[in-house]
Amino acid sequence: MSELRFTEDHEWLRVEADGSVTVGITAYAQNALGDVVYVQLPELQQYDKGAEASTVESVKAASGVYMPLTGEVVAVNEGLNDSPELVNEDPLGEGWFFRFIPADMNEVSALLDQDTYDRLLKANDDA
């Protein structure tokens, strides 16, 4: 499964070949934040769904990045320490935040697919 899944908090998720799940923020989120200047990466530990795992700071604001599902963070993108602008330049690629192993892999498929996420964005724009 290589398709992306999304949360209503504008995080994207991608299941990797090794069973881990990569998390980042969407293009919509990074556009709303503006130029990212700092990313606080999570600790390599267990987090509950909805817990703030990371923080992203921009010239406009600071925002939490929340754990989309209960699981254990197993890797972080150390490249963001020196180059937080990767979040703006390549939010769905080199600007990823962390990888985790979900407690229940089946929950990934329950997250928003691309069409549903696009409808959420349109509804936000129309509001």
Side-chain angles (χ1 to χ4, degrees):
M1 176 174 136
S2 62
E3 68 185 46
L4 294 178
R5 292 292 176 159
F6 301 89
T7 70
E8 292 183 6
D9 292 322
H10 307 290
E11 289 115 9
W12 60 264
L13 294 84
R14 181 180 59 238
V15 177
E16 305 296 344
D18 66 0
S20 67
V21 177
T22 301
V23 177
I25 63 171
T26 64
Y28 176 88
Q30 66 84 20
N31 279 332
L33 283 168
D35 292 337
V36 173
V37 296
Y38 175 74
V39 176
Q40 178 185 359
L41 296 167
E43 298 292 322
L44 299 181
Q45 65 183 35
Q46 181 84 15
Y47 289 88
D48 291 331
K49 178 180 179 178
E52 186 172 311
S54 186
T55 304
V56 58
E57 295 180 15
S58 72
V59 294
K60 291 182 184 178
S63 181
V65 177
Y66 301 95
M67 197 67 177
L69 304 169
T70 297
E72 182 178 356
V73 173
V74 295
V76 295
N77 185 356
E78 298 285 352
L80 296 181
N81 289 331
D82 294 327
S83 301
E85 67 275 6
L86 288 172
V87 175
N88 295 111
E89 295 168 1
D90 191 12
L92 300 177
E94 293 299 315
W96 63 277
F97 281 55
F98 60 90
R99 290 193 175 108
F100 75 103
I101 303 294
D104 183 354
M105 185 60 85
N106 293 324
E107 291 182 346
V108 174
S109 62
L111 296 170
L112 305 177
D113 61 18
Q114 184 72 57
D115 289 341
T116 306
Y117 183 69
D118 289 345
R119 285 194 299 275
L120 172 73
L121 295 181
K122 183 168 178 9
N124 287 347
D125 288 344
D126 292 344

